[in-house]
Amino acid sequence: MRQDSPAALHRSITAFALALLGPALSSCLELGSTTCASGLVCPAGMRCAANQDVCIAASPSCGDGIVQASVNEACDDGNILSGDGCNADCRSNEQCGNNIVDIGEVCDDGNSVSGDRTCSADCLSDERCGNNIKDIGEMCDDGNNVSGDRTCSADCRSDERCGNNIVDVGEDCDDGNTVGGDTCGADCRSGGGCGDGELEPGEQCDDGNTNNDDNCVNLGGRCVVARCGDGFVAMEAPNIEECDDGNTSDEDSCLNTCKKNRCGDNRLDPEHEACDDGNITTEETCPYGTRDCTVCTSDCSEERTLSGPYCGDGVPSDGEACDDGSRNGAQRCQYGEESCWICNADCTDWMGASGDFCGDEIVNTPQEQCDFGEACGTCSAGCRIVDAVPAEGSLKIVERWNISPGDSFVISDGMNPPVTFKFASTCTNPLCANTDGFPRCCISLGNNPTEHDLTQEIHDTINIIRNRDELEVSAGIDSGRVTIRHHRTGTLGNQRIISSDPDALRSEGMSGGVGADCPANSWCRGDDDCAEGLQCQDDHRCAPW
C-alpha cells in the first residue's frame, strides 16, 4: 500500500475539513465577497489577481491579466509584483529605454543609446564621471571626482598614469612614455618640459622658469610666447600688457589689445559704462546735417538724445547762405507773392521765383474763387465771388424846423443828369421840370408840414421824377427815413446824395453797389460783371454789345 508523505496527508485532511465546513463557512462570509482558488477570501469590491494570491480592485485594475488602455496600463502579467517584466502598477514593461526607472535600473532616458551623458544603453549608468562605471568617452572612473589619487582624474579622462601623454596632478611633464633622457623623465617628475631652459619640440620658447608674467609662459605644459589673449598679464618689455582676460571681446573691461577699457575709447564696458561714443566731451548739439543723435557724457555715465542744425530747419547756420525751412528748393513763391527769393535745396544760394496771386487772371484754388485781373464785377479784391447788388442810400430829417425854403438835396443815378430837389414855401405844377437839361423838382413847405408829412412828400417827389424815367432810383419809407435804391446792380449807382444842410436833412449813400464795372476786355462771369454798354461774351471777356 502507498504511503503518502506528511505534507500530502496534511493537504488531504485540510481539503476534507474544508469540504465538511464549507456550508457553515459560507454562511459566515461577507455578502459580495470572493473566494480565490487558494482559499483567500476577497471582500466586496475586490477580486482575486489572475496569477497571484492577492486581492485587487474589482474595477479594471493592475493584476487582472488584461492590459487596460483606459487606465494607462503598459502591461498586465496577472500580479502586482515588480521585477518580473511588468511592474507593480502595470505602467512599465520594465524594459530599459522606456523612460521609467524600474527595479534594477539606475536611470532610463527613453532610449538605448550610450554616450548621451544622461543614461547608458543598459540603464545601469547615469554616465556621470565619478559613478564608478567607465562609460563611453571616459578613460576611467574610480567613483569620485578627485584628481591626484593616482587612479582616475576628476574628469575621468586620465588614469593618472605616467606615460599617458597627459600632465596630471603631481606630474611636471608627460611625453607619452616612461623612457628617461627624452623630453620628460621616466617618472614624469623630472627632466624636460616647459621651464627646463631647453627649447624642445613643441615649445615656442623656454626661459628656464615657470613664471607667466614674462614673455614666455607655460600654457598647458607647453612653453609658448606670451601673447594678448592668453590669460596672463605680460609685465616684461616689449610686450607689456595692462590686462589680459583670456578672450578677444571688446565688450568687457579688457580690450582685445590687452589695454584697459577706458571712457572715450568707443568700446562699451557694460560693467562700468552706460555708454561710450569715442570721446570724453559732453556734446551740446549734434553735428551739422544730423537732425537727431545720441551722445555720451564726458564720463560715460549717461546717454543723451540731442538735436542738431541742418539744411531745412529754417535757421541759417554757419556755412549756409540761407534756410527757408520746408520751402527750401521750392519752385514757386507762396500764394500772394508775385515774385520772391527762395533758398535752394542745399542752402547754398538764393534763387528767384514767381508765384500765384490774386490779380494774375488765373483762378488759383483753393485760395481763389475768381480772378478777373482786377477787382471788378462780382470778383472782389480778394478774388472771392460776391453778389451783384444795387447801390442804396437814404434821407433822414434831423430837425424839421431847420429846413427852410431854398434848402436842397441832389440825387444822381450815374446814368442821367443829376436831379436837384429844392424846398420852397409854395410850389407850382408841374413839381418837376427839365428846361435846360438839368431836371429840378420842388418840395413845398407850405402849411408847415410835420416831419412825417414832409418825409412823405420827399418820398413822393422822388418817385415822380422816377416815373418820368429821368432818375433810375425808387424811394421808400422805413423807420422815418426815405430809402433810395438804384434800379440796376453795380457800382454805377454809387453816387453821393448831397444835402445843402446836413444838420437839418442828413443824407447817406448812395453806396454799396457791386458789379457792372469791369472794363472792356476784362474777364467776366456774366453780364452783371461788365460796365454799361458791355456784355460778357462766350470767351468770358467783356465786350460791346
Side-chain angles (χ1 to χ4, degrees):
M1 182 176 70
R2 180 177 62 86
Q3 185 175 0
D4 293 330
S5 67
L9 180 61
H10 176 73
R11 285 196 298 270
S12 298
I13 295 173
T14 300
F16 177 73
L18 289 173
L20 293 176
L21 295 174
L25 291 173
S26 297
S27 63
C28 296
L29 295 176
E30 177 185 357
L31 183 62
S33 62
T34 302
T35 303
C36 302
S38 65
L40 175 66
V41 177
C42 296
M46 303 289 285
R47 57 176 170 164
C48 303
N51 296 315
Q52 184 184 0
D53 193 19
V54 66
C55 295
I56 60 174
S59 57
S61 61
C62 180
D64 60 8
I66 301 172
V67 178
Q68 305 284 348
S70 62
V71 291
N72 299 319
E73 289 185 345
C75 57
D76 197 320
D77 57 0
N79 63 61
I80 54 175
L81 300 174
S82 291
D84 58 357
C86 185
N87 69 351
D89 61 5
C90 297
R91 301 297 175 90
S92 171
N93 57 13
E94 298 186 318
Q95 292 180 355
C96 176
N98 65 2
N99 212 29
I100 298 173
V101 180
D102 296 301
I103 291 177
E105 293 181 341
V106 172
C107 55
D108 196 317
D109 58 0
N111 63 62
S112 300
V113 178
S114 291
D116 54 8
R117 310 310 298 165
T118 53
C119 191
S120 61
D122 58 5
C123 295
L124 298 179
S125 171
D126 56 11
E127 298 187 316
R128 174 178 49 83
C129 176
N131 65 1
N132 213 30
I133 299 174
K134 182 181 177 183
D135 296 299
I136 291 178
E138 295 180 341
M139 180 179 287
C140 55
D141 196 316
D142 59 358
N144 63 62
N145 297 109
V146 178
S147 291
D149 54 6
R150 311 310 299 167
T151 53
C152 191
S153 61
D155 60 2
C156 297
R157 299 300 177 88
S158 171
D159 57 8
E160 299 188 313
R161 174 178 49 82
C162 177
N164 64 3
N165 212 31
I166 299 173
V167 179
D168 294 302
V169 174
E171 294 181 341
D172 295 322
C173 56
D174 196 316
D175 58 1
N177 63 65
T178 54
V179 177
D182 52 10
T183 58
C184 186
D187 59 1
C188 296
R189 292 178 180 273
S190 62
C194 178
D196 62 1
E198 297 291 334
L199 187 62
E200 299 165 355
E203 292 183 336
Q204 298 176 353
C205 58
D206 197 318
D207 55 3
N209 65 62
T210 56
N211 294 332
N212 285 331
D213 58 1
D214 52 18
N215 288 327
C216 186
V217 297
N218 186 333
L219 192 63
R222 293 178 57 242
C223 281
V224 298
V225 175
R227 61 177 178 80
C228 180
D230 60 14
F232 304 114
V233 180
M235 305 297 292
E236 187 176 54
N239 300 317
I240 296 178
E241 297 174 337
E242 294 180 357
C243 58
D244 196 320
D245 54 5
N247 64 58
T248 57
S249 173
D250 276 338
E251 303 302 321
D252 52 21
S253 59
C254 187
L255 303 179
N256 60 15
T257 57
C258 289
K259 301 290 185 182
K260 290 182 179 179
N261 193 328
R262 292 181 173 85
C263 178
D265 60 10
N266 209 30
R267 297 287 187 269
L268 179 66
D269 180 359
E271 186 176 349
H272 303 101
E273 297 176 337
C275 53
D276 195 319
D277 59 1
N279 62 66
I280 52 173
T281 301
T282 300
E283 295 89 344
E284 298 298 332
T285 184
C286 301
Y288 176 79
T290 305
R291 299 189 182 195
D292 302 294
C293 63
T294 300
V295 301
C296 191
T297 54
S298 60
D299 59 0
C300 295
S301 64
E302 180 185 357
E303 192 172 65
R304 296 178 180 176
T305 300
L306 303 177
S307 59
Y310 60 94
C311 178
D313 61 7
V315 180
S317 305
D318 291 341
E320 292 182 342
C322 53
D323 197 324
D324 272 347
S326 61
R327 286 191 51 75
N328 285 343
Q331 300 301 307
R332 303 279 293 171
C333 301
Q334 296 188 78
Y335 176 76
E337 297 178 334
E338 186 173 353
S339 63
C340 65
W341 290 97
I342 298 176
C343 190
N344 63 11
D346 57 6
C347 296
T348 59
D349 201 0
W350 292 98
M351 57 184 186
S354 59
D356 303 322
F357 59 96
C358 179
D360 61 5
E361 300 188 3
I362 300 172
V363 179
N364 302 296
T365 56
Q367 295 90 347
E368 299 176 355
Q369 295 176 331
C370 58
D371 196 325
F372 292 172
E374 59 180 312
C376 69
T378 57
C379 191
S380 70
C383 289
R384 311 297 291 181
I385 294 175
V386 295
D387 293 330
V389 295
E392 294 182 343
S394 66
L395 290 166
K396 170 67 176 175
I397 297 175
V398 179
E399 179 54 61
R400 158 68 186 88
W401 305 115
N402 286 344
I403 298 177
S404 305
D407 290 340
S408 65
F409 62 90
V410 179
I411 298 177
S412 175
D413 61 8
M415 301 168 59
N416 299 299
V419 179
T420 301
F421 297 83
K422 182 176 288 188
F423 295 98
S425 297
T426 59
C427 295
T428 60
N429 288 320
L431 296 178
C432 295
N434 186 345
T435 57
D436 56 0
F438 292 96
R440 293 178 178 83
C441 293
C442 181
I443 301 175
S444 176
L445 294 176
N447 298 322
N448 294 321
T450 63
E451 180 179 319
H452 174 271
D453 292 339
L454 187 56
T455 298
Q456 185 66 48
E457 191 169 347
I458 294 171
H459 164 271
D460 295 343
T461 305
I462 294 173
N463 285 335
I464 288 174
I465 196 71
R466 177 204 68 187
N467 292 334
R468 291 173 50 172
D469 295 330
E470 293 184 72
L471 192 63
E472 292 291 331
V473 300
S474 296
I477 295 178
D478 182 22
S479 301
R481 295 182 308 124
V482 177
T483 59
I484 303 168
R485 182 181 177 88
H486 205 284
H487 288 173
R488 298 188 185 184
T489 59
T491 60
L492 185 66
N494 292 336
Q495 307 291 329
R496 181 187 173 197
I497 301 174
I498 302 173
S499 172
S500 64
D501 187 357
D503 292 333
L505 181 66
R506 183 173 65 244
S507 64
E508 293 183 356
M510 292 191 309
S511 61
V514 176
D517 59 346
C518 292
N521 203 40
S522 173
W523 290 100
C524 57
R525 298 173 56 246
D527 291 340
D528 283 345
D529 294 319
C530 299
E532 184 74 16
L534 304 176
Q535 70 176 145
C536 191
Q537 305 295 333
D538 291 341
D539 62 354
H540 294 284
R541 295 278 187 175
C542 290
W545 292 84

